[in-house]
Amino acid sequence: MRVNGLGFAYEGSPPVLHDISFSLDPGRIICILGPNGSGKTTLLHCMASLLEPDHGSVRIGDADVAGMSGGQIARNVGFVPQSLVPAFAYEVLDYVVTGCAPRMALFQKPGQREYDTAARAIALMELTHLAHKPYTNISGGERQQVSIARVLAQQTGIVLMDEPTAHLDYGNQVKVLRIIKTLASKGYAVAITTHNPEHAIMLGDQVAVLGKDGAFTFGRHSDIINGPFLSSLYDVDIQVRHIDDIDRDVCIAHPF
């Protein structure tokens, strides 16, 4: 996926995105960082063709998503929203199997192949124990993980996740980040939005940073994430320190 010169403004409001350009390649992860209101979700929605940019383009291979049908996009791009309010008490397995719909014929009912695909996605998310529970009767954090399983069942090459760890406890946050790394190792192109720069460090790949003043920074996390940059971005005193025991950097806010 290539984002070229992307700009977007909501009606009657100043531009949110200004001339954004970068590539999301197979096997790579991009963490989209930025303070509240900087346009992280808006950018992801433009990438998923849920919003139409005012100028610039989003391309998958040689095709502009603006000229693709909904079915074509769904066969190439999976999208996990921040939250999803369930309308029906589907069993988790039945909900996840709906992710197979873009690859099924019109009016085709899911068969064993689709249910096997859904079961594998649920197993990858370590949610097999929830497979036959009503989707309405599980926690918000569990629903978030089930939504990721549904996108995995969709079998797209590109996966976009809007704050996939937002409703999760710390253990499940780490679990989801580990799964994102696994997806990249299998050749998926993954982009996530997050408020936490630690997630970008843990995933260890690329970052796309949206500043409050419209500034855009893209590159390797190790080249961009440092104390002065994060302090300026979030308007708090942040230091980045290397922890030898775990052999990675961590972000530390100055004590109150």
Side-chain angles (χ1 to χ4, degrees), residues 14-15 23 30 42-43 67 76-77 79 88 105 108 133 150 153 160 166 181 192 215 219 241 250-251 256:
S23 293
I30 294 176
T42 299
L43 174 56
N76 285 277
V77 181
F79 181 75
F88 301 101
Q108 177 185 346
K133 286 192 174 183
R150 182 181 181 275
L160 309 178
K181 288 274 285 187
I192 73 166
R241 299 288 181 86
V250 298
C251 301
F256 303 122

Short mmCIF file of all heavy atoms in Angstrom, two decimals, residues 14-15 23 30 42-43 67 76-77 79 88 105 108 133 150 153 160 166 181 192 215 219 241 250-251 256:
data_model
loop_
_atom_site.label_atom_id
_atom_site.label_comp_id
_atom_site.label_asym_id
_atom_site.label_seq_id
_atom_site.Cartn_x
_atom_site.Cartn_y
_atom_site.Cartn_z
N PRO A 14 -10.52 22.98 9.74
CA PRO A 14 -9.20 23.07 9.12
C PRO A 14 -8.70 21.67 8.74
O PRO A 14 -9.17 20.65 9.28
CB PRO A 14 -8.32 23.67 10.23
CG PRO A 14 -9.28 24.30 11.19
CD PRO A 14 -10.53 23.48 11.11
N PRO A 15 -7.75 21.57 7.82
CA PRO A 15 -7.20 20.26 7.44
C PRO A 15 -6.65 19.49 8.63
O PRO A 15 -6.01 20.06 9.51
CB PRO A 15 -6.10 20.62 6.44
CG PRO A 15 -6.49 21.96 5.90
CD PRO A 15 -7.16 22.67 7.04
N SER A 23 4.97 4.28 2.43
CA SER A 23 4.62 2.97 1.90
C SER A 23 4.50 1.96 3.04
O SER A 23 5.27 1.99 4.00
CB SER A 23 5.67 2.48 0.90
OG SER A 23 5.67 3.28 -0.26
N ILE A 30 3.84 -0.67 10.66
CA ILE A 30 3.90 0.77 10.90
C ILE A 30 3.04 1.10 12.11
O ILE A 30 1.86 0.75 12.15
CB ILE A 30 3.42 1.58 9.68
CG1 ILE A 30 4.36 1.38 8.49
CG2 ILE A 30 3.33 3.06 10.03
CD1 ILE A 30 3.90 2.06 7.21
N THR A 42 -8.14 9.22 11.54
CA THR A 42 -8.52 9.75 10.22
C THR A 42 -7.61 9.18 9.14
O THR A 42 -8.08 8.76 8.07
CB THR A 42 -8.43 11.29 10.22
OG1 THR A 42 -9.34 11.80 11.20
CG2 THR A 42 -8.79 11.85 8.85
N LEU A 43 -6.31 9.13 9.40
CA LEU A 43 -5.37 8.57 8.43
C LEU A 43 -5.68 7.11 8.17
O LEU A 43 -5.73 6.66 7.01
CB LEU A 43 -3.93 8.73 8.95
CG LEU A 43 -2.83 8.06 8.12
CD1 LEU A 43 -2.83 8.53 6.67
CD2 LEU A 43 -1.46 8.30 8.76
N GLY A 67 -10.92 3.83 -7.00
CA GLY A 67 -11.57 3.19 -8.13
C GLY A 67 -11.89 1.73 -7.91
O GLY A 67 -12.35 1.04 -8.83
N ASN A 76 -8.52 -7.23 0.01
CA ASN A 76 -7.13 -6.80 0.14
C ASN A 76 -6.81 -6.17 1.49
O ASN A 76 -5.67 -6.23 1.94
CB ASN A 76 -6.80 -5.78 -0.96
CG ASN A 76 -6.61 -6.41 -2.31
OD1 ASN A 76 -5.53 -6.91 -2.63
ND2 ASN A 76 -7.67 -6.42 -3.12
N VAL A 77 -7.81 -5.54 2.11
CA VAL A 77 -7.57 -4.78 3.34
C VAL A 77 -8.52 -5.23 4.44
O VAL A 77 -9.74 -5.20 4.26
CB VAL A 77 -7.76 -3.26 3.10
CG1 VAL A 77 -7.47 -2.49 4.39
CG2 VAL A 77 -6.85 -2.77 1.97
N PHE A 79 -9.77 -4.38 8.36
CA PHE A 79 -9.80 -3.22 9.24
C PHE A 79 -10.39 -3.60 10.59
O PHE A 79 -11.48 -4.16 10.67
CB PHE A 79 -10.62 -2.09 8.61
CG PHE A 79 -10.69 -0.85 9.46
CD1 PHE A 79 -9.60 0.00 9.55
CD2 PHE A 79 -11.84 -0.54 10.17
CE1 PHE A 79 -9.66 1.14 10.33
CE2 PHE A 79 -11.90 0.60 10.96
CZ PHE A 79 -10.81 1.45 11.04
N PHE A 88 -26.19 -8.45 17.41
CA PHE A 88 -26.84 -9.75 17.56
C PHE A 88 -25.95 -10.66 18.41
O PHE A 88 -24.74 -10.50 18.45
CB PHE A 88 -27.06 -10.40 16.19
CG PHE A 88 -27.91 -9.57 15.26
CD1 PHE A 88 -27.32 -8.82 14.25
CD2 PHE A 88 -29.29 -9.54 15.39
CE1 PHE A 88 -28.09 -8.05 13.39
CE2 PHE A 88 -30.07 -8.77 14.53
CZ PHE A 88 -29.47 -8.03 13.54
N ALA A 105 -19.20 -16.46 -2.67
CA ALA A 105 -20.14 -16.02 -3.70
C ALA A 105 -21.38 -15.41 -3.05
O ALA A 105 -21.69 -15.66 -1.89
CB ALA A 105 -20.55 -17.21 -4.57
N GLN A 108 -23.93 -17.35 -0.88
CA GLN A 108 -23.31 -18.60 -0.45
C GLN A 108 -23.28 -18.67 1.08
O GLN A 108 -22.96 -17.69 1.74
CB GLN A 108 -21.87 -18.69 -0.98
CG GLN A 108 -21.12 -19.94 -0.52
CD GLN A 108 -19.66 -19.93 -0.96
OE1 GLN A 108 -19.26 -19.13 -1.81
NE2 GLN A 108 -18.86 -20.81 -0.36
N LYS A 133 -19.25 -19.03 22.86
CA LYS A 133 -19.94 -18.07 23.73
C LYS A 133 -20.60 -16.99 22.88
O LYS A 133 -20.08 -16.62 21.83
CB LYS A 133 -18.95 -17.42 24.70
CG LYS A 133 -18.50 -18.33 25.84
CD LYS A 133 -17.78 -17.53 26.91
CE LYS A 133 -17.46 -18.40 28.11
NZ LYS A 133 -16.82 -17.62 29.20
N ARG A 150 -11.57 -11.98 13.43
CA ARG A 150 -12.43 -11.87 12.25
C ARG A 150 -11.65 -11.33 11.06
O ARG A 150 -11.83 -11.81 9.92
CB ARG A 150 -13.62 -10.96 12.56
CG ARG A 150 -14.61 -10.81 11.42
CD ARG A 150 -15.74 -9.87 11.82
NE ARG A 150 -16.71 -9.73 10.73
CZ ARG A 150 -16.59 -8.88 9.72
NH1 ARG A 150 -15.51 -8.09 9.65
NH2 ARG A 150 -17.51 -8.83 8.78
N ALA A 153 -9.51 -14.02 9.63
CA ALA A 153 -10.31 -14.94 8.80
C ALA A 153 -10.59 -14.34 7.42
O ALA A 153 -10.85 -15.06 6.46
CB ALA A 153 -11.62 -15.29 9.50
N LEU A 160 -5.17 -3.30 8.97
CA LEU A 160 -5.15 -2.00 9.62
C LEU A 160 -5.90 -2.11 10.94
O LEU A 160 -7.04 -2.59 10.97
CB LEU A 160 -5.81 -0.94 8.73
CG LEU A 160 -5.31 -0.86 7.27
CD1 LEU A 160 -6.09 0.21 6.51
CD2 LEU A 160 -3.81 -0.56 7.23
N ALA A 166 -6.44 -0.84 22.99
CA ALA A 166 -7.04 0.22 23.81
C ALA A 166 -7.84 -0.32 24.98
O ALA A 166 -7.87 0.29 26.05
CB ALA A 166 -7.91 1.12 22.94
N LYS A 181 3.47 -9.04 15.49
CA LYS A 181 4.80 -9.44 15.02
C LYS A 181 4.72 -10.74 14.23
O LYS A 181 5.39 -10.89 13.19
CB LYS A 181 5.74 -9.61 16.22
CG LYS A 181 6.16 -8.33 16.88
CD LYS A 181 7.37 -7.70 16.22
CE LYS A 181 8.65 -8.43 16.56
NZ LYS A 181 9.84 -7.69 16.04
N ILE A 192 -0.93 0.02 12.66
CA ILE A 192 -1.76 0.21 13.83
C ILE A 192 -1.64 1.66 14.31
O ILE A 192 -0.60 2.29 14.12
CB ILE A 192 -1.41 -0.75 14.98
CG1 ILE A 192 -0.08 -0.36 15.65
CG2 ILE A 192 -1.35 -2.19 14.50
CD1 ILE A 192 0.17 -1.05 16.98
N ALA A 215 2.82 18.53 11.36
CA ALA A 215 4.09 17.94 10.93
C ALA A 215 3.95 16.42 10.83
O ALA A 215 3.26 15.78 11.63
CB ALA A 215 5.20 18.30 11.91
N GLY A 219 9.70 6.89 9.48
CA GLY A 219 10.98 6.20 9.37
C GLY A 219 11.09 5.09 10.39
O GLY A 219 10.10 4.66 11.01
N ARG A 241 15.37 5.25 27.83
CA ARG A 241 16.52 4.57 28.42
C ARG A 241 16.60 3.13 27.93
O ARG A 241 15.57 2.48 27.72
CB ARG A 241 16.42 4.57 29.95
CG ARG A 241 16.38 5.97 30.58
CD ARG A 241 17.73 6.65 30.50
NE ARG A 241 17.70 7.96 31.12
CZ ARG A 241 17.89 8.19 32.42
NH1 ARG A 241 18.09 7.16 33.25
NH2 ARG A 241 17.85 9.42 32.90
N VAL A 250 13.10 1.76 26.75
CA VAL A 250 11.81 2.02 27.37
C VAL A 250 11.62 3.52 27.50
O VAL A 250 12.59 4.29 27.54
CB VAL A 250 11.68 1.36 28.77
CG1 VAL A 250 11.78 -0.14 28.68
CG2 VAL A 250 12.73 1.92 29.73
N CYS A 251 10.35 3.95 27.53
CA CYS A 251 10.02 5.36 27.71
C CYS A 251 9.69 5.61 29.18
O CYS A 251 8.90 4.87 29.78
CB CYS A 251 8.83 5.75 26.85
SG CYS A 251 9.08 5.48 25.09
N PHE A 256 6.05 13.11 38.91
CA PHE A 256 5.29 14.33 39.23
C PHE A 256 5.96 15.05 40.40
O PHE A 256 6.50 14.45 41.28
CB PHE A 256 3.84 13.98 39.61
CG PHE A 256 3.13 13.21 38.52
CD1 PHE A 256 2.59 11.96 38.76
CD2 PHE A 256 3.01 13.75 37.25
CE1 PHE A 256 1.93 11.26 37.78
CE2 PHE A 256 2.35 13.06 36.24
CZ PHE A 256 1.82 11.81 36.52
#
